[in-house]
Amino acid sequence: MQQPNLASRGASKAGMVFRVTSGNFLEQFDFFLFGFYATHIAAAFFPASNEFASLMMTFAVFGAGFLMRPLGAVLLGAYIDDVGRRKGLIVTLAIMASGTLLIVLVPGYASIGLWAPALVLLGRLLQGFSAGAEMGGVSVYLAEMATPGRKGFYASWQSASQQVAIVVAAGLGFALNLWLTPVDLAQWGWRIPFGIGCLIIPFIFLLRRSLQETEEFANRTHRPTMKDVFGTLYDNAGIVFLGMLMVAMTTTAFYMITVYAPTFGKSVLQLSTGDALIVTLLVGVSNFIWLPIGGALSDRFGRKPLLAAMSLLTLITAYPALSFLAQAPSFAHMLEVLLWFSFLYGIYNGAMIPALTEIMPVEVRVAGFSLAYSLATAIFGGFTPAVSTWLIHMTGDKAAPAYWMIFAALCAFIATLVLYRRLSAQSLATA
């Protein structure tokens, strides 16, 4: 059987980055749309006696997809560590596309009753299962293809590609808000962006099929079996756990400033739909700028200083910033606060992604990365909209989502210090 060409013989690095991150675009595009159109999805699939209950059910289904990520991380991650980055990423894309198509095509509750929320839940579970290994596979591919000394910069494009999806989704949402009446948007218009996501699936498949295997993986002589993966993950459970806590800051901040932000702006701050979308679009642009900068800075100054500094800044500033916004809600204030959070997230995540690829054992690099990331997303990030909605409802404090950010930042700060102290001790022991 003919082997795929090595990455070193293929197209340019930029072309490789574009092809491998294309699936990330689709994943985040759909995830963002689900969060932004939560109120419309709630009315279509989860009718309830009051808006709070309906919205909570919608966000619970949104979060349920993240519960599948750890399972996908282990099973699909092990598959990618066995068969290769290229083949594995084509499989994750196929599963993700199936979930997206299902959500788009499901009729509303009024047409098929309980089958509607059940099928939407199934679509979310498929998306979550796929995403469990998608981000890990992409991050490891980028790290393995990076030129020496620039691993942080290259790996940061995994997250940067997601910001393009946010900008495109927010732009589509803003256009639909101008072109359609509120009634049409609520009844059927919200499905249009999801349909557009389905239309680009064949193009992304073509991009993924043209991927070439990384030279580092192709040169490996040992490919772990599923049993080997489970054993190695078990032996390194402490590193996976600390990695999960380190990722907590990333997932919570990201879903706070992107997926939850439009709902927060409309439902809590009573800003217009257009204002909330423009803010989210600008946040996506800001993230896209800061992420590669964070990766490059981590190449220059090290991962630990950036991780510790950004998590500490989040601990100190999260509540004052959201309290300022809650007391004086406006387009300008929401933009100021979310751009500050974007800076914290971008620099932190730019350093965190390459750090996570470096701390995992090489033979289970995708599975280990994916499991740590998926656990953090399932526990912290995926339920950020639901937890934020619940905190505001229970406390009456519109700035209450900051408590969740502070908790995640504290976990990340402690994990960073413990993890790098542990790695330093191991390096001294083997020196």
Side-chain angles (χ1 to χ4, degrees):
M1 188 173 77
Q2 186 178 4
Q3 296 294 323
N5 292 330
L6 299 179
S8 59
R9 301 173 188 168
S12 67
K13 295 284 187 181
M16 292 165 62
V17 169
F18 177 70
R19 287 192 293 274
V20 75
T21 57
S22 60
N24 263 349
F25 173 92
L26 177 64
E27 175 197 348
Q28 200 53 55
F29 184 76
D30 291 332
F31 276 31
F32 173 78
L33 290 176
F34 200 101
F36 176 71
Y37 291 110
T39 53
H40 301 317
I41 293 172
F45 300 114
F46 305 96
S49 57
N50 62 72
E51 183 180 354
F52 169 72
S54 181
L55 196 58
M56 282 299 293
M57 284 191 290
T58 304
F59 281 139
V61 169
F62 178 76
F66 293 92
L67 296 179
M68 288 294 288
R69 287 196 174 202
L71 182 61
V74 174
L75 297 181
L76 292 177
Y79 177 74
I80 295 174
D81 280 324
D82 180 25
V83 304
R85 315 315 187 200
R86 175 184 176 275
K87 290 181 180 178
L89 287 172
I90 291 174
V91 171
T92 61
L93 179 60
I95 298 173
M96 184 193 311
S98 300
T100 300
L101 285 168
L102 186 58
I103 292 174
V104 171
L105 298 176
V106 172
Y109 183 91
S111 300
I112 60 174
L114 291 176
W115 280 106
L119 290 173
V120 169
L121 175 60
L122 176 61
R124 285 291 300 142
L125 295 179
L126 287 172
Q127 287 181 328
F129 183 74
S130 166
E134 167 73 17
M135 294 180 66
V138 170
S139 299
V140 168
Y141 187 99
L142 292 171
E144 290 182 351
M145 61 156 275
T147 53
R150 303 193 69 191
K151 184 181 293 185
F153 175 75
Y154 274 91
S156 68
W157 289 101
Q158 179 267 114
S159 297
S161 67
Q162 298 176 359
Q163 313 313 312
V164 178
I166 291 169
V167 171
V168 173
L172 277 173
F174 184 77
L176 289 174
N177 188 59
L178 291 178
W179 296 336
L180 300 178
T181 66
V183 173
D184 288 339
L185 188 61
Q187 289 182 347
W188 55 268
W190 63 269
R191 292 181 184 265
I192 294 176
F194 285 96
I196 292 174
C198 291
L199 292 177
I200 66 174
I201 288 174
F203 175 67
I204 296 177
F205 263 111
L206 290 175
L207 290 176
R208 277 281 166 93
R209 284 177 60 84
S210 66
L211 271 179
Q212 298 159 331
E213 190 55 81
T214 66
E215 185 171 2
E216 180 176 337
F217 180 86
N219 289 336
R220 282 166 54 184
T221 57
H222 174 67
R223 307 289 169 82
T225 64
M226 189 72 72
K227 183 179 179 180
D228 293 334
V229 171
F230 288 145
T232 305
L233 289 177
Y234 179 80
D235 293 339
N236 292 274
I239 292 179
V240 172
F241 177 73
L242 290 171
M244 177 197 74
L245 295 181
M246 194 166 67
V247 179
M249 162 84 174
T250 279
T251 59
T252 301
F254 177 72
Y255 285 98
M256 181 74 73
I257 64 177
T258 56
V259 174
Y260 179 63
T263 299
F264 181 73
K266 293 184 299 177
S267 302
V268 179
L269 302 180
Q270 303 300 313
L271 299 179
S272 70
T273 299
D275 283 351
L277 277 168
I278 289 297
V279 169
T280 307
L281 188 152
L282 293 175
V283 165
V285 173
S286 174
N287 291 344
F288 183 82
I289 293 171
W290 288 118
L291 283 162
I293 292 175
L297 288 175
S298 74
D299 287 332
R300 176 68 177 83
F301 300 105
R303 321 294 185 209
K304 179 183 175 182
L306 268 67
L307 296 174
M310 294 302 106
S311 54
L312 189 59
L313 273 174
T314 304
L315 271 168
I316 297 170
T317 65
Y319 187 81
L322 275 183
S323 181
F324 162 74
L325 176 58
Q327 292 173 8
S330 69
F331 172 83
H333 289 170
M334 185 176 180
L335 181 60
E336 291 171 13
V337 170
L338 293 190
L339 286 181
W340 169 247
F341 288 159
S342 169
F343 165 73
L344 297 174
Y345 157 76
I347 300 298
Y348 181 90
N349 194 69
M352 191 279 299
I353 293 295
L356 200 59
T357 66
E358 292 165 347
I359 65 175
M360 293 300 165
V362 63
E363 62 271 20
V364 291
R365 186 176 283 161
V366 175
F369 181 108
S370 299
L371 182 58
Y373 207 107
S374 298
L375 287 171
T377 306
I379 296 171
F380 292 91
F383 285 97
T384 289
V387 171
S388 299
T389 302
W390 179 81
L391 284 171
I392 293 171
H393 182 75
M394 294 300 294
T395 65
D397 182 1
K398 295 179 180 179
Y403 301 141
W404 188 235
M405 284 192 71
I406 290 170
F407 176 63
L410 179 62
C411 290
F413 181 72
I414 294 173
T416 297
L417 297 183
V418 173
L419 180 59
Y420 277 91
R421 181 178 299 173
R422 185 173 178 174
L423 293 176
S424 178
Q426 290 176 352
S427 297
L428 290 175
T430 57

